Amino acid sequence: MATDNRPWYWIPLLNFASGFPYVIIISVSVLMYKNLGISNEDIGFYTSLLYLPWVIKPLWSPFIDLHGTKRNWFLSMQLFISIAFLLVGFIIPTSQFFLLSLSIFWVAAFASASNDVASDGFYMLALSKDQQSFFLGIRSTFYRASMLTGNGLIILLAGYLEHHYANTQKAWSYTMISVGLVMIFLTIYNYFSTPKKELTLETVVKEEKNFSTVFASFFKKKQIGLILAFILLFRLGESQLLKMLTPFLVDKKTVGGLELTTENVGLIYGTFGLIALTIGGILGGIAISKKGLGYCMLPMILIMHLPIIGFVLLAHFQPTTLINLNLDLNLFTIDWSFNPYITAVVIIEQLGYGIGFAAFMMYLIYVAEGESKTSHYSIATGFMALGMMLPGMLSGYIQEYLGYGNFFIWVFLATIPGIILSRYLIFPKDFGKKSEQEKTN
């Protein structure tokens, strides 16, 4: 163990630095492009392509394991991501901002996926098994905190700048420059806080040298065809919902949207919604630990998908009731007006999503059980990302053809194949349930 290793100093912000670029590239970019006048078709198609690095991440992860140290990898990637976000900020005011910024985001996505691989590997090399278990919750908490920062504070900043400058391009330019500065701070902090030395695991190196064998062994698992179909189809509805939800929230009511401001989205979806998502994930984990995955799978999947009906209702009724909040922050005052019905639907949907997604991720852990657990889990999550990317690419075209009301009906129907397939999966019913010995410890 490295003598300069103080996990409480480096684990929180190292994991924050993994989630923050992801939420900016995958989620915040959607609202940015929408506010900058990009069509739903282009937003859905091109921002979904940004999932690709996370889809194929397992293919180059062995290269990261075999060349250089994990610390050098994640520091280099974080610096690269910082520069990429700064460049996006400077490019936004130009006439070719869409193509240029997408290209930079795409390259930054590869750097972000590589940062994830290196950070995960460093975590396993720098800590003992007991420490890894202890800090697992801390990692998850700060990863979720990065989501809250991106979907909440960054979007609130963009909304404030939009009103302050009355210029959307300038507002998002300054916002992305701010994002780049945050990443620079994280990179510098991680440079000084992370251990300078890391263990070398010969067993890991030997395993990755035979990665082709490890990769092939994944496809020899029982029910592999059904497993892959379930992984790819489980998020068929969600993948489209996530891409078109932000455009729905900010689009004009004349085209079926809810006409919210950027601040509204940041407050409702990025703050209240993400808190609900976190609570849902905790509740889902508790339920599985008490009852086992077999007992919880179907109820938790239904809890995840049924709230989509709320968006069908919002698209149909387009509620206009507003609650006004005034926040005096000394330097400036923010006036928030939000709709209680929209807020309630988002909170319920995110709470249900957190609960249901916990069941899905627990199943992926089961799929990865056995030899080469780490590599197999990486492969499974790669297929999960593929299941998000392909439907998301078509979501904008489907929404434009159907309109928002019918689109959300389609999204709800798209959840049915995953529900049906889940009933044919074979796994221990008590998988994930705490044993009596664990309960007493």
Side-chain angles (χ1 to χ4, degrees):
M1 186 65 57
T3 58
D4 60 344
N5 190 348
R6 293 178 291 180
W8 279 108
Y9 284 82
W10 60 267
I11 287 178
L13 289 191
L14 182 62
N15 285 277
F16 189 97
S18 287
F20 189 64
Y22 177 86
V23 72
I24 298 298
I25 294 168
I26 296 298
S27 181
V28 176
S29 66
V30 173
L31 180 59
M32 182 187 79
Y33 286 133
K34 183 64 181 178
N35 286 1
L36 292 174
I38 305 302
S39 69
N40 286 1
E41 295 99 322
D42 286 343
I43 290 173
F45 184 84
Y46 290 107
T47 63
S48 292
L49 278 176
L50 297 175
Y51 280 114
L52 182 61
W54 285 277
V55 173
I56 61 176
K57 178 176 67 175
L59 299 181
W60 79 82
S61 57
F63 181 85
I64 294 175
D65 280 321
L66 294 171
H67 297 84
T69 66
K70 305 296 185 298
R71 184 174 183 273
N72 286 341
W73 270 103
F74 67 67
L75 289 174
S76 299
M77 293 301 99
Q78 289 172 21
L79 180 60
F80 185 91
I81 294 166
S82 304
I83 296 171
F85 286 150
L86 290 174
L87 287 176
V88 170
F90 290 120
I91 283 170
I92 286 175
T94 68
S95 59
Q96 300 296 320
F97 78 90
F98 183 52
L99 178 61
L100 292 174
S101 62
L102 267 178
S103 301
I104 295 173
F105 274 144
W106 200 69
V107 177
F110 275 95
S112 182
S114 301
N115 176 52
D116 292 348
V117 173
S119 297
D120 290 343
F122 186 81
Y123 178 79
M124 291 186 285
L125 293 176
L127 299 180
S128 66
K129 291 293 184 182
D130 290 342
Q131 287 178 311
Q132 290 177 35
S133 299
F134 178 80
F135 283 100
L136 188 61
I138 305 302
R139 296 187 76 201
S140 176
T141 297
F142 278 86
Y143 190 90
R144 289 181 184 275
S146 70
M147 300 290 144
L148 175 60
T149 302
N151 283 322
L153 296 179
I154 297 301
I155 289 178
L156 283 171
L157 172 63
Y160 167 74
L161 293 176
E162 284 179 353
H163 287 297
H164 181 74
Y165 290 110
N167 185 316
T168 304
Q169 282 190 323
K170 180 180 288 187
W172 280 99
S173 174
Y174 288 166
T175 298
M176 291 307 302
I177 290 172
S178 300
V179 168
L181 294 176
V182 171
M183 276 303 303
I184 288 175
F185 166 76
L186 292 172
T187 305
I188 294 173
Y189 180 89
N190 289 327
Y191 175 81
F192 286 105
S193 67
T194 52
K196 306 301 185 293
K197 299 178 181 179
E198 59 191 65
L199 300 176
T200 57
L201 298 181
E202 295 181 0
T203 55
V204 173
V205 173
K206 288 178 181 178
E207 178 184 334
E208 298 301 346
K209 285 182 178 179
N210 296 303
F211 183 74
S212 59
T213 302
V214 174
F215 191 83
S217 67
F218 177 82
F219 296 94
K220 296 177 181 178
K221 293 179 178 288
K222 293 181 179 180
Q223 286 195 308
I224 187 59
L226 183 61
I227 289 171
L228 293 179
F230 175 70
I231 293 174
L232 290 170
L233 293 176
F234 178 77
R235 305 181 78 182
L236 178 62
E238 177 209 343
S239 60
Q240 299 172 77
L241 177 69
L242 289 180
K243 285 301 174 185
M244 289 299 107
L245 184 54
T246 298
F248 169 63
L249 294 176
V250 301
D251 248 338
K252 300 292 184 182
K253 290 190 176 181
T254 53
V255 296
L258 298 180
E259 209 165 328
L260 300 183
T261 64
T262 303
E263 294 102 316
N264 293 151
V265 176
L267 175 67
I268 297 173
Y269 201 77
T271 306
F272 295 148
L274 205 63
I275 292 172
L277 174 66
T278 302
I279 294 172
I282 294 171
L283 293 177
I286 292 173
I288 294 172
S289 68
K290 288 183 175 296
K291 297 291 186 178
L293 183 60
Y295 180 87
C296 296
M297 176 77 96
L298 181 59
M300 290 172 70
I301 290 176
L302 293 175
I303 290 172
M304 176 179 177
H305 294 323
L306 287 175
I308 294 173
I309 296 173
F311 293 110
V312 177
L313 297 175
L314 288 179
H316 179 75
F317 292 106
Q318 293 183 301
T320 57
T321 303
L322 293 177
I323 294 177
N324 297 313
L325 287 179
N326 182 274
L327 192 62
D328 188 355
L329 301 179
N330 294 326
L331 295 177
F332 56 87
T333 299
I334 296 178
D335 291 312
W336 280 319
S337 297
F338 66 93
N339 186 292
Y341 300 106
I342 298 172
T343 305
V345 169
V346 170
I347 289 174
I348 293 171
E349 187 269 337
Q350 286 293 282
L351 181 68
Y353 173 75
I355 292 172
F357 195 62
F360 180 61
M361 295 306 291
M362 182 59 68
Y363 179 71
L364 293 190
I365 291 174
Y366 166 74
V367 171
E369 284 288 292
E371 294 183 4
S372 309
K373 180 184 298 185
T374 302
S375 296
H376 284 184
Y377 185 78
S378 180
I379 294 169
T381 55
F383 276 103
M384 178 186 69
L386 181 63
M388 293 291 290
M389 182 182 79
L390 297 178
M393 291 170 65
L394 300 175
S395 60
Y397 298 96
I398 297 172
Q399 183 279 316
E400 288 290 337
Y401 180 76
L402 295 177
Y404 282 115
N406 290 331
F407 173 74
F408 290 123
I409 294 174
W410 155 248
V411 166
F412 181 71
L413 295 175
T415 66
I416 295 175
I419 295 173
I420 294 174
L421 289 173
S422 71
R423 307 310 299 151
Y424 294 93
L425 298 172
I426 299 174
F427 56 89
K429 299 304 178 184
D430 60 350
F431 185 78
K433 183 178 180 180
K434 279 189 177 181
S435 64
E436 292 301 322
Q437 181 177 357
E438 289 175 318
K439 290 178 182 178
T440 57
N441 288 341

